[in-house]
Amino acid sequence: MFKRLVIQLQAPRMRTFSIATRTKPFQVAIDGPAASGKSTTAKMVAQRLGFDYIDSGAFYRCITLAALSKGINPSDPATVGQISEIAEQCKIGLQTVFAKPSETVSSGEEGVFQKLTCLPTTRVFLNSKDVSSEIRSNNVSQHVSAVAAIRNVREAVLQKIRSIRARENNNNNNNNNNKQDSDNTPNLSSSQSQSIVVSEGLVMDGRDIGTVILPHADLKIFLVADSRIRAERRLQELVKNGLDPTLNKLDVDTVQRDLQRRDELDRTRKVSPLRKADDAMVLDTSNLTIEGQVDVIVQEVERRRGDNVKVV
Ligand SMILES: Nc1ncnc2c1ncn2[C@@H]1O[C@H](COP(=O)(O)OP(=O)(O)O)[C@@H](O)[C@H]1O
Ligand SMILES: Nc1ccn([C@H]2C[C@H](O)[C@@H](COP(=O)(O)OP(=O)(O)O)O2)c(=O)n1
């Protein structure tokens, strides 16, 4: 799988550089329960390593949003056919805007300023409309597990992801920077494509990435965290995105119950249930910082790629 090029320079206090050039992109699969930190971590790992990123949950969220906006109740089993049709017909595009590694923003109050690393952001397009915020609403979250349990929906998502990857590879091979879908939806990582043409790897997060979508991934991570901590983080995120918890009758207990209900549905469904792949590393983020969990994964990728710079 690897073509290895080793450059050795002999001199006093010398370094050995081992540069691995791969014929196949390095694949990182990140799975785990709701709000365990998958997408935040996956995006940052992709940014640090210059890899592509695919948020597979966004596909299920888009299909759920499309169904809800047509007045369809995904929790009613009689709607399975209608939702499957929506899944097959809708167009979904992702665009991840990566910050330059050196780019930082200052924030703080009363004259105390902190330097924060810019976080990458993913914009999600449903039939060319930017639905990045709408798909994170509590209403979509409440129904998405029912949608993701439909076999035809999973099949449609798999096809969409495959065609994105095929187009991505094609674009890379053709040295083509113009990554637009036929419906003008920006394709994956189009911001990256302006500077990087060939990506050395892919990070993908979801529930079945290590088990079904990328069963031969080079690194599989199963991200977990205490359910109370996950609920606190998710509520904080919803508030940050403009939700009024009082108006919406939402507190940590309710969010925790919703997460646990959703995890149960995701774990017990017949098709591609949430489960740890046998060869996945478990990473508990309960007591980690975001940077800390990203570091663990980046270091593991570097160790497995064997392209560390060693001082000899
Ligand atoms: N180690 C951490 N410490 C504090 N907050 C975190 C940590 N990891 C993730 N978060 C936050 O938790 C929330 C849920 O994370 P997210 O990446 O959306 O999870 P998932 O993709 O698994 O649903 C986000 O607001 C994210 O910023
Ligand atoms: N590969 C995937 C990704 C997500 N899903 C389902 C399961 C989840 O309840 C929903 C939403 O996933 P998402 O990762 O966006 O959800 P959370 O942010 O973790 O709450 O989609 C899935 O079944 N398979």
Side-chain angles (χ1 to χ4, degrees), residues 136-193:
R136 307 281 162 207
S137 74
N138 205 39
N139 193 27
V140 170
S141 295
Q142 299 244 333
H143 291 97
V144 66
S145 291
V147 169
I150 303 171
R151 187 180 295 277
N152 288 348
V153 168
R154 300 202 73 83
E155 186 52 39
V157 169
L158 185 58
Q159 292 307 330
K160 288 181 201 303
I161 291 173
R162 276 201 187 127
S163 67
I164 283 175
R165 286 307 293 162
R167 235 179 0 244
E168 180 86 354
N169 290 337
N170 207 21
N171 281 341
N172 283 342
N173 290 341
N174 291 339
N175 214 0
N176 179 358
N177 283 354
N178 182 19
K179 295 186 178 185
Q180 296 277 320
D181 261 357
S182 52
D183 65 339
N184 261 347
T185 301
N187 200 346
L188 282 167
S189 314
S190 62
S191 61
Q192 266 197 327
S193 71

Side-chain angles (χ1 to χ4, degrees), residues 104-109 111-116:
T104 54
V105 287
S106 294
S107 80
E109 40 193 35
V112 183
F113 283 85
Q114 256 183 308
K115 282 223 157 183
L116 303 169

Side-chain angles (χ1 to χ4, degrees), residues 34-35 38 56 61 145 148 154 207-208 234 262 266 269:
K38 300 179 298 295
S56 69
R61 286 179 175 273
S145 291
R154 300 202 73 83
R207 301 295 191 288
D208 59 346
R234 182 45 55 88
R262 207 139 62 78
D266 292 339
R269 68 175 176 231

Side-chain angles (χ1 to χ4, degrees), residues 33-231:
S36 54
K38 300 179 298 295
S39 57
T40 311
T41 311
K43 262 184 277 199
M44 291 181 67
V45 167
Q47 171 165 286
R48 288 259 298 267
L49 294 165
F51 287 6
D52 285 329
Y53 166 59
I54 299 183
D55 172 359
S56 69
F59 289 79
Y60 297 100
R61 286 179 175 273
C62 279
I63 295 163
T64 307
L65 176 67
L68 289 171
S69 44
K70 287 187 178 204
I72 295 169
N73 174 12
S75 304
D76 175 358
T79 61
V80 164
Q82 281 172 290
I83 298 174
S84 304
E85 211 170 296
I86 290 174
E88 277 156 30
Q89 287 169 4
C90 70
K91 287 198 184 298
I92 298 170
L94 307 183
Q95 181 190 50
T96 299
V97 180
F98 292 99
K100 291 193 191 91
S102 59
E103 219 168 75
T104 54
V105 287
S106 294
S107 80
E109 40 193 35
E110 294 169 9
V112 183
F113 283 85
Q114 256 183 308
K115 282 223 157 183
L116 303 169
T117 307
C118 277
L119 298 180
T121 51
T122 301
R123 291 171 71 201
V124 182
F125 298 84
L126 171 62
N127 299 325
S128 302
K129 184 184 167 214
D130 188 337
V131 292
S132 314
S133 302
E134 276 177 90
I135 59 162
R136 307 281 162 207
S137 74
N138 205 39
N139 193 27
V140 170
S141 295
Q142 299 244 333
H143 291 97
V144 66
S145 291
V147 169
I150 303 171
R151 187 180 295 277
N152 288 348
V153 168
R154 300 202 73 83
E155 186 52 39
V157 169
L158 185 58
Q159 292 307 330
K160 288 181 201 303
I161 291 173
R162 276 201 187 127
S163 67
I164 283 175
R165 286 307 293 162
R167 235 179 0 244
E168 180 86 354
N169 290 337
N170 207 21
N171 281 341
N172 283 342
N173 290 341
N174 291 339
N175 214 0
N176 179 358
N177 283 354
N178 182 19
K179 295 186 178 185
Q180 296 277 320
D181 261 357
S182 52
D183 65 339
N184 261 347
T185 301
N187 200 346
L188 282 167
S189 314
S190 62
S191 61
Q192 266 197 327
S193 71
Q194 288 158 16
S195 52
I196 300 169
V197 177
V198 181
S199 168
E200 284 184 37
L202 167 70
V203 186
M204 207 163 160
D205 80 293
R207 301 295 191 288
D208 59 346
I209 309 304
T211 50
V212 177
I213 309 275
L214 301 175
H216 304 295
D218 302 276
L219 174 62
K220 297 180 187 177
I221 303 287
F222 197 74
L223 222 54
V224 294
D226 176 80
S227 71
R228 189 71 179 178
I229 294 175
R230 290 192 278 132

